[in-house]
Amino acid sequence: MPSQNVADILIEALPYIRQFAGSTIVVKYGGHAMVDEQLKMDFARDITLLKYIGINPVVVHGGGPQINEVMDRMGIKTQFVRGMRLTDADTMDVVEMVLGGKVNKSIVAQIAQAGGRAVGITGKDGGMVSARKMTIMKEGVGDAPPEIIDPGLVGEVTHVNPDILKTLTDRGFIPVVAPVGVGENGETYNINADVVACRIAAALGAFRLILLTDVDGVLDRDKKLIHSIDTGEVRRMISDESIVGGMIPKLEYALSALSGGVGKCHIINGTRRHSLLLELFTDQGIGTEVLL
């Protein structure tokens, strides 16, 4: 009977709810889950549910497709090097407007519709995310030496002050963070959302870090999902090229968070409905958990 199935799911979730109560969970929100209307609604409800059962979620979001859309409308050309958006002053204005404005406030509104209390901030607020200019090295072709690329206002995190996040969560709010940081001279920097999420998780000593992606998690050579993997296995699989492409930086960010004190990191497919709850509150989970 359906009612029995629901009861079984709730009973399965109970020990995890007890284990996570009072803890902080940082969720990096991005990919297709941020553009599909049903998935956006599901995410807002899942985050609100976490708060109501005594967990403190902190959301760090991306917004690449939304930035591209606005830049196209404004006739501003987008250039990428090694996955990094080259960010001049005009591009930075668009990035800050879209991430800190349109995208951030949309997520806040969706959580409010689901019954939660969210507050949208950027890494600049309260001096939360300090950053410096990033330098990108591009491999030379043939015998040519590596080329140093100036990415403009692309930053790397130097420090995270989590005080504003702790204040918000302690008062019952759900922080929603746009990945924008501030330099020592007041410059605004565009920063990779995965990096910001990992550094915030470490600064908070988060119990869990969840990276929502558009793939199921880490796959082996036979394309089967690996449900759990530790640091040594990650290093081995990267070395023998069992893991390639965009999963490598995500795992490197995850290992950095773990070394910074985060309990576990989960890489899950955000295109599955309620993927966050399924990963946290079921025995099997649906993605890959990364351990020290």
Side-chain angles (χ1 to χ4, degrees):
M1 295 176 59
S3 59
Q4 183 62 50
N5 292 337
V6 171
D8 290 342
I9 292 170
L10 292 173
I11 292 300
E12 184 177 344
L14 179 59
Y16 298 103
I17 293 173
R18 185 187 302 120
Q19 180 185 13
F20 295 157
S23 67
T24 296
I25 293 177
V26 176
V27 182
K28 189 273 178 166
Y29 179 38
H32 192 68
M34 283 188 63
V35 295
D36 180 278
E37 291 301 322
Q38 182 64 61
L39 293 174
K40 289 195 290 186
M41 187 184 305
D42 291 343
F43 179 81
R45 289 172 175 169
D46 292 354
I47 288 292
T48 300
L49 175 62
L50 293 181
K51 190 66 176 180
Y52 274 114
I53 62 175
I55 297 169
N56 294 315
V58 175
V59 178
V60 180
H61 65 83
Q66 294 88 341
I67 294 170
N68 291 341
E69 180 184 346
V70 173
M71 290 185 68
D72 287 343
R73 291 206 307 263
M74 297 177 68
I76 300 175
K77 186 178 180 180
T78 301
Q79 292 181 289
F80 290 89
V81 174
R82 290 182 57 191
M84 299 286 183
R85 184 189 303 272
L86 303 187
T87 308
D88 59 15
D90 289 341
T91 301
M92 189 66 240
D93 287 343
V94 175
V95 168
E96 188 168 18
M97 174 182 68
V98 175
L99 289 182
K102 180 181 179 181
V103 174
N104 188 274
K105 303 314 174 189
S106 176
I107 298 168
V108 168
Q110 288 154 7
I111 293 174
Q113 285 183 317
R117 296 198 303 161
V119 175
I121 58 177
T122 77
K124 293 170 65 176
D125 293 318
M128 179 172 55
V129 178
S130 299
R132 66 186 172 212
K133 184 184 182 72
M134 175 181 285
T135 298
I136 300 176
M137 297 292 293
K138 183 179 180 181
E139 293 297 326
V141 178
D143 295 331
E147 180 183 0
I148 298 177
I149 304 294
D150 181 359
L153 295 169
V154 175
E156 57 184 5
V157 178
T158 58
H159 179 71
V160 172
N161 180 349
D163 289 350
I164 189 171
L165 298 173
K166 292 178 180 178
T167 297
L168 289 171
T169 56
D170 287 347
R171 296 191 177 186
F173 293 100
I174 300 167
V176 179
V177 183
V180 176
V182 61
E184 62 179 11
N185 296 314
E187 314 94 320
T188 300
Y189 286 110
N190 178 22
I191 309 174
N192 180 287
D194 285 338
V195 173
V196 173
C198 292
R199 292 295 299 270
I200 284 177
L204 289 170
F207 190 59
R208 293 288 188 271
L209 168 66
I210 314 291
L211 300 178
L212 292 183
T213 71
D214 288 343
V215 297
D216 289 337
V218 181
L219 307 180
D220 63 19
R221 286 188 179 274
D222 297 322
K223 305 302 180 184
K224 293 182 179 179
L225 179 67
I226 299 173
H227 286 284
S228 184
I229 189 170
D230 63 23
T231 301
E233 186 68 4
V234 168
R235 299 294 186 201
R236 184 192 68 74
M237 292 184 71
I238 291 176
S239 177
D240 68 14
E241 298 185 348
S242 298
I243 298 173
V244 296
M247 186 55 68
I248 292 177
K250 287 191 180 297
L251 283 167
E252 289 176 340
Y253 301 148
L255 296 185
S256 175
L258 293 172
S259 66
V262 175
K264 288 183 183 179
C265 179
H266 302 255
I267 300 174
I268 67 174
N269 191 340
T271 68
R272 292 188 59 177
R273 295 192 63 187
H274 302 296
S275 57
L276 190 57
L277 302 184
L278 291 171
E279 176 66 14
L280 290 175
F281 298 140
T282 63
D283 295 335
Q284 182 75 11
I286 63 164
T288 300
E289 66 172 11
V290 187
L291 318 169
L292 272 180

